[in-house]
Amino acid sequence: MQTPQISKAKRQQLNEHYMLRAIALAKKGEYTTSPNPAVGCVLVKDGEVIGEGWHQKAGEGHAEVNALKQAGDKAKDATAFVTLEPCSHFGRTPPCAKGLITAGVKHVVIGMQDPNPLVSGRGITMLENAGITTEVAVLESAAKGLNPGFIKLMSTDKPLVRCKMASSLDGKTAMANGESKWITGKEARQDVQRYRAKSCAIISGADTVIIDNAKLNVRYNELGFIANDLKETDVRQPVRVIIDSQNRLTPTLALFDQKSPIILVRTKLENGQQWPHFVKQIQVKERSGKADLTDLISKLAELGLNTLWVESGARLAGAFLAQALVDELVLYQAPKLMGENSQGLFDIEQLTHLQDAIQLSIEDVRMIGADIKITATVNK
């Protein structure tokens, strides 16, 4: 690919062709790698793919390592196509830039520069200092779309916050007596499971856990089509973050049947209850008698949780929106009318004038089964 006979246009075409393959490989890890980024790598030599790989799970081999393993000795003088700049530092695994150098790769095409301050440009410099040529920002927008939470945390020290709600067409989330199962259909609920699986943490409130006796875990049998590519043991359970300022939860709730990490959020720590080993309590500041959500988001960011999925009732969801903490709203609307006495969608206080209304930008509208799915970013 480095020969003069290949025109600039042809070279760009080939770069994009193999980068699209690397992006497709990266997507195979989007439900299992969190909080690490999903990354794909393709090794090409003499027009032939000789190795490919993707990052499958945090703490295991990175995409480049898996591709090099498949290529073996053929990797010498090959071109590597990687969706994210190869890392240059020792973490739980050795630096991938070093691995490419050792293998004798001669050219590396990179989708996007790593926003991680520990890497950001250093991997590229390491490659170039070893005599390896590089090209950066090939299909950059698509590469960035693989890991929005990782990019935001590394760039701003703040996680990506998505808020999910489900309602009838007249904006109701439950009947007056609290009945809400199920407003939306099977396909919408499967879509929610996929969002849960992609997230580092699910945030909810004590009301939701107590009223629904919710587990808030990823249910493998409801993942739909992606379950075809995953074993049940591959599915990573996100951290469940439950805001319980009044210490109302008890270990007998179904939430604690799933033995995966739980963080109980308090304004005052309590030591009377005996919690399972996978339960941790953290203390946040108090704001107007409730947990300070801004402080909570900061503490979760410090734990490296870069993609947060808020799945709660109208009051907590409204508080996240009112405090400008939501980046993306995911709303499922069922073709039902539930009447004015039913419970509303968002409980947002102190909005007295139309100019105070929270402004959204609609990014996508589609049908999910019989329901409408609206994805919107929150204008800040």
Side-chain angles (χ1 to χ4, degrees):
M1 290 187 61
Q2 306 303 301
T3 59
Q5 290 78 12
I6 296 179
S7 68
K8 183 177 179 180
K10 179 64 174 178
R11 182 170 171 173
Q12 180 179 348
Q13 182 183 29
L14 288 171
N15 281 352
E16 292 182 356
H17 170 77
Y18 290 119
M19 187 59 69
L20 282 172
R21 176 58 185 163
I23 288 169
L25 288 167
K27 288 181 179 179
K28 291 188 173 187
E30 66 180 340
Y31 300 101
T32 59
T33 63
S34 177
N36 284 8
V39 182
C41 177
V42 177
L43 291 170
V44 179
K45 186 174 181 179
D46 299 326
E48 177 188 356
V49 174
I50 58 171
E52 57 183 26
W54 67 95
H55 185 34
Q56 298 176 19
K57 200 171 286 189
E60 296 184 2
H62 289 187
E64 299 93 324
V65 171
N66 293 329
L68 288 169
K69 184 177 180 180
Q70 188 178 103
D73 293 339
K74 292 182 180 179
K76 182 174 172 55
D77 293 329
T79 295
F81 297 84
V82 192
T83 57
L84 183 69
E85 176 185 358
C87 60
S88 57
H89 66 290
F90 280 89
R92 284 191 278 182
T93 57
C96 293
K98 177 70 173 174
L100 293 169
I101 293 167
T102 302
V105 168
K106 69 176 181 179
H107 185 61
V108 180
V109 180
I110 298 165
M112 64 167 289
Q113 186 170 311
D114 195 330
N116 185 345
L118 293 174
V119 181
S120 195
R122 293 180 178 86
I124 296 168
T125 299
M126 182 183 288
L127 293 170
E128 292 178 344
N129 287 344
I132 297 174
T133 55
T134 65
E135 292 177 73
V136 186
V138 174
L139 296 182
E140 184 178 30
S141 179
K144 286 182 175 180
L146 291 168
N147 302 293
F150 172 78
I151 293 170
K152 185 179 179 191
L153 184 65
M154 292 299 165
S155 303
T156 68
D157 290 327
K158 296 178 181 179
L160 177 74
V161 180
R162 292 186 172 112
C163 180
K164 166 261 176 182
M165 294 296 283
S167 77
S168 59
L169 275 182
D170 54 347
K172 304 299 182 180
T173 59
M175 303 305 292
N177 64 3
E179 182 186 357
S180 63
K181 290 186 177 180
W182 296 103
I183 293 176
T184 54
K186 174 184 175 183
E187 294 85 355
R189 298 197 299 275
Q190 287 179 336
D191 200 49
V192 169
Q193 291 296 314
R194 293 191 281 271
Y195 273 107
R196 286 184 180 183
K198 287 193 288 188
S199 301
C200 296
I202 300 170
I203 301 178
S204 195
D207 282 344
T208 296
V209 172
I210 293 170
I211 293 170
D212 296 339
N213 200 19
K215 290 186 177 181
L216 295 170
N217 61 321
V218 177
R219 297 189 287 274
Y220 175 78
N221 61 347
E222 293 182 28
L223 284 172
F225 65 89
I226 70 164
N228 297 330
D229 297 321
L230 292 174
K231 300 175 183 176
E232 188 165 5
T233 52
D234 290 335
V235 176
R236 180 201 52 80
Q237 291 292 339
V239 178
R240 291 167 290 167
V241 179
I242 313 301
I243 301 170
D244 184 24
S245 301
Q246 299 176 29
N247 302 335
R248 292 183 292 154
L249 300 186
T250 64
T252 59
L253 289 163
L255 179 79
F256 302 100
D257 292 345
Q258 171 72 47
K259 295 177 176 58
S260 59
I262 294 173
I263 295 176
L264 301 181
V265 181
R266 318 286 199 189
T267 53
K268 294 180 182 178
L269 294 180
E270 62 92 16
N271 299 311
Q273 200 72 257
Q274 293 296 314
W275 298 105
H277 66 90
F278 51 87
V279 177
K280 174 183 178 181
Q281 297 184 72
I282 64 171
Q283 185 175 8
V284 298
K285 298 175 185 175
E286 191 172 301
R287 176 174 172 171
S288 301
K290 299 175 182 177
D292 186 322
L293 299 180
T294 301
D295 189 36
L296 170 61
I297 294 299
S298 296
K299 282 182 165 56
L300 296 179
E302 290 171 3
L303 294 173
L305 303 174
N306 60 57
T307 305
L308 310 180
W309 177 250
V310 179
E311 191 170 330
S312 66
R315 186 180 304 169
L316 183 56
F320 268 99
L321 282 166
Q323 294 177 39
L325 296 173
V326 177
D327 297 296
E328 185 176 287
L329 176 65
V330 182
L331 173 62
Y332 302 90
Q333 287 194 299
K336 299 172 183 175
L337 301 174
M338 294 167 58
E340 65 178 28
N341 292 328
S342 297
Q343 298 178 25
L345 192 54
F346 296 107
D347 186 353
I348 303 175
E349 299 177 357
Q350 299 176 341
L351 295 181
T352 55
H353 301 285
L354 188 56
Q355 66 182 22
D356 299 326
I358 296 170
Q359 299 291 327
L360 306 175
S361 295
I362 305 297
E363 303 295 339
D364 186 67
V365 179
R366 66 181 63 197
M367 298 300 297
I368 301 288
D371 304 313
I372 300 170
K373 177 187 176 184
I374 301 171
T375 305
T377 52
V378 182
N379 299 342
K380 299 179 182 180

